[in-house]
Amino acid sequence: MQKKDSFQALGLSMDSLSAVQAKGFTQPSPIQEKVIPLLLAGNKNIMGQAQTGTGKTAAFGLPILEKIDPRAREVQALVLVPTRELAIQVAGELASLRGRKTVKILPVYGGQSIQPQIRGLQQGVQIVVGTPGRILDHLRQKTLRIHNLAYCILDEADEMLNMGFLEDVKKILSFTNTNKSTLMFSATMPQEILSVARKYMGDFELVQMGEATLTVPQTDQTFIPVRDTEKYLTLCQLIDHTPEFYGLVFCRTKHEARKLAKRLANQGYAADSLHGNLTQAQREKVMMRFRKSAVRILVATDVASRGIDVMNLSHVINYALPQDPESYVHRIGRTGRAGKAGKAVTFVGPNEDRKLRAIEKMIRIPIRKSSALSQAVPLQAEPVKKNRFMDWRRSRTQVSARTR
Ligand code: AMP
């Protein structure tokens, strides 16, 4: 007999079940358990509180792929995402879930020449995954038509709002037919998101994963009190004492991110930075090297890091505290993904206690004070340059080219 918590119990077709099996998913995640049966049951508007890493793409992707008619050569589902990376990633995840079904999926984003996208769209695509600006360009040029959608998905709605895409999203929605299912996913639920949902979705089902899951439970969250002048050494020690360190380090500004990555790279760490001044091609190159673990320490800003989905990160380090508690949730959502354990370590300066309390209040769990370095060498020590554990460190020339 099929176990109750299996994918089969959710009502998925054999085709989807084999796709899920091929991906190596053994058990549905909590959001998948809730959303999949709802969508398979029929047309519904859903507002899901879920962050990246919870399996939300498959939660909406699997049922949508089942409902889409591959013979109809028109766009039946539009997925709006805040960043190019996310567009590529979500389109890839959907493609890997479509099984034998010949559904065409196209990522459409800015920073890339529009012509190949137009050619792609002309070939009869059923699912378009795109960033708001570029989608709007296509709609205005009439190279994309979305008047016969079965589904419209607003992914990472709060991020789209933070990035100033609200007006674009509203305009895009005005091009769509009314008789569609609208699904909105957001890690946080600020008032503006709820009011957009009420306005554009009418009746909707709210799927919440419970307050405790606002941050990923597998993530061990600690903070280290540290003065500005001690930050760099503290970071080095933390890395040196974690042989398998593979993580994201968050800074406040582009300049800070670039400088820190360069400093680390110059000392032999496999570090690089992701910031707003990179071209799309440069970003993709950094991301590819990070995914392949050639870069083990990615120093990023909040904006640049949006949509990063890299599995098995051991750490997210808040080198600088995030501007607001919501960014904290997004940042640390990048570790502890898909059931894997991860650590989120936040550096807190002498005057930053209040900000830390605000974060704890929002996530509703205390963040443990850690002397992550209690097992480590004293703070004054020089960072260890050649450590026998650090066999993944790359030579200076290999890693520092991108950080200038
Ligand atoms: P998402 O939240 O959609 O960005 O998914 C995060 C990661 O979890 C992706 O790499 C998925 O392939 C993976 N994933 C999604 N669902 C499952 C599952 N049920 N079991 C294991 N991994 C999953």
Side-chain angles (χ1 to χ4, degrees):
M1 214 179 67
Q2 198 60 44
K3 264 173 53 206
K4 212 173 146 271
D5 57 359
S6 74
F7 277 100
Q8 200 165 36
L10 303 180
L12 289 167
S13 71
M14 288 310 290
D15 216 21
S16 296
L17 291 174
S18 356
V20 160
Q21 203 179 16
K23 292 272 293 175
F25 299 173
T26 48
Q27 258 195 342
S29 70
I31 186 100
Q32 290 164 358
E33 268 177 352
K34 289 195 179 176
V35 169
I36 292 173
L38 275 176
L39 283 178
L40 288 176
N43 279 3
K44 288 240 165 58
N45 297 324
I46 295 177
M47 171 77 166
Q49 181 160 23
Q51 59 195 92
T52 46
T54 51
K56 67 181 154 66
T57 315
F60 69 78
L62 285 165
I64 285 177
L65 284 160
E66 293 211 352
K67 301 262 169 173
I68 273 174
D69 178 2
R71 285 160 308 176
R73 287 164 58 87
E74 60 182 352
V75 180
Q76 293 162 59
L78 173 71
V79 187
L80 290 178
V81 294
T83 64
R84 300 152 182 184
E85 279 76 21
L86 206 58
I88 297 168
Q89 184 189 306
V90 168
E93 180 83 355
L94 294 176
S96 72
L97 293 167
R98 73 190 145 180
R100 284 173 308 162
K101 221 170 167 185
T102 52
V103 177
K104 282 214 177 101
I105 303 159
L106 188 73
V108 164
Y109 47 87
Q112 193 198 42
S113 157
I114 203 161
Q115 284 310 324
Q117 295 176 358
I118 294 176
R119 279 196 296 278
L121 289 167
Q122 280 166 347
Q123 281 164 20
V125 172
Q126 283 99 9
I127 305 182
V128 169
V129 186
T131 48
R134 185 51 68 93
I135 292 286
L136 210 50
D137 289 345
H138 281 289
L139 289 170
R140 289 189 175 129
Q141 292 187 29
K142 298 199 176 16
T143 43
L144 168 67
R145 286 172 207 282
I146 51 169
H147 57 273
N148 210 5
L149 293 180
Y151 300 95
C152 182
I153 297 111
L154 310 181
D155 199 7
E156 304 218 345
D158 51 357
E159 289 288 303
M160 289 202 276
L161 183 83
N162 288 343
M163 292 173 77
F165 284 142
L166 186 62
E167 287 313 310
D168 283 357
V169 169
K170 286 181 181 169
K171 262 184 226 134
I172 293 167
L173 290 174
S174 73
F175 281 83
T176 63
N177 46 309
T178 48
N179 60 336
K180 62 184 182 299
S181 288
T182 304
L183 318 176
M184 191 151 150
F185 292 93
S186 196
T188 55
M189 294 277 167
Q191 268 314 314
E192 283 147 298
I193 292 287
L194 288 167
S195 67
V196 173
R198 278 191 287 267
K199 180 153 180 224
Y200 290 91
M201 291 164 68
D203 279 348
F204 60 87
E205 190 123 4
L206 186 62
V207 176
Q208 272 177 308
M209 303 318 300
E211 278 150 4
T213 51
L214 196 54
T215 55
V216 188
Q218 286 84 3
T219 305
D220 175 50
Q221 300 174 58
T222 56
F223 76 92
I224 303 177
V226 60
R227 281 178 227 286
D228 265 1
T229 50
E230 299 165 344
K231 273 187 176 179
Y232 180 70
L233 279 182
T234 308
L235 176 67
C236 291
Q237 287 171 339
L238 205 127
I239 297 169
D240 287 345
H241 287 267
T242 316
E244 75 291 5
F245 189 97
Y246 181 34
L248 269 166
V249 178
F250 281 98
C251 290
R252 191 162 297 140
T253 63
K254 294 178 208 174
H255 176 67
E256 195 186 15
R258 213 172 30 222
K259 218 171 76 184
L260 178 59
K262 193 172 172 189
R263 195 168 171 191
L264 287 166
N266 282 343
Q267 289 197 287
Y269 292 95
D272 207 336
S273 61
L274 194 69
H275 53 81
N277 289 353
L278 301 182
T279 64
Q280 177 62 9
Q282 288 172 323
R283 283 173 69 97
E284 278 169 20
K285 200 163 149 211
V286 175
M287 279 311 297
M288 195 185 69
R289 300 191 63 230
F290 188 48
R291 266 192 206 103
K292 287 186 174 163
S293 286
V295 166
R296 304 280 304 189
I297 307 162
L298 187 63
V299 187
T301 56
D302 284 302
V303 173
S305 77
R306 288 197 169 120
I308 289 181
D309 175 38
V310 175
M311 296 299 289
N312 305 329
L313 291 187
S314 70
H315 284 76
V316 166
I317 312 280
N318 293 311
Y319 195 79
L321 267 179
Q323 296 291 30
D324 52 67
E326 281 157 17
S327 303
Y328 178 85
V329 176
H330 281 288
R331 285 179 176 188
I332 80 147
R334 267 125 201 168
T335 179
R337 302 170 76 76
K340 298 236 166 55
K343 283 189 182 359
V345 184
T346 302
F347 288 2
V348 181
N351 302 318
E352 293 185 316
D353 274 2
R354 259 210 358 248
K355 282 190 178 168
L356 184 72
R357 299 283 98 80
I359 293 170
E360 287 181 316
K361 206 168 143 211
M362 170 161 169
I363 61 171
R364 289 170 204 253
I365 42 170
I367 301 175
R368 251 181 326 112
K369 179 170 171 179
S370 113
S371 53
L373 307 173
S374 54
Q375 350 107 31
V377 284
L379 268 180
Q380 294 77 8
E382 275 297 307
V384 194
K385 281 192 187 160
K386 281 276 174 284
N387 177 320
R388 65 195 165 88
F389 296 125
M390 310 279 284
D391 52 0
W392 44 260
R393 283 190 191 177
R394 297 296 184 272
S395 73
R396 184 182 301 190
T397 44
Q398 254 181 299
V399 294
S400 58
R402 283 246 28 72
T403 58
R404 305 228 153 89

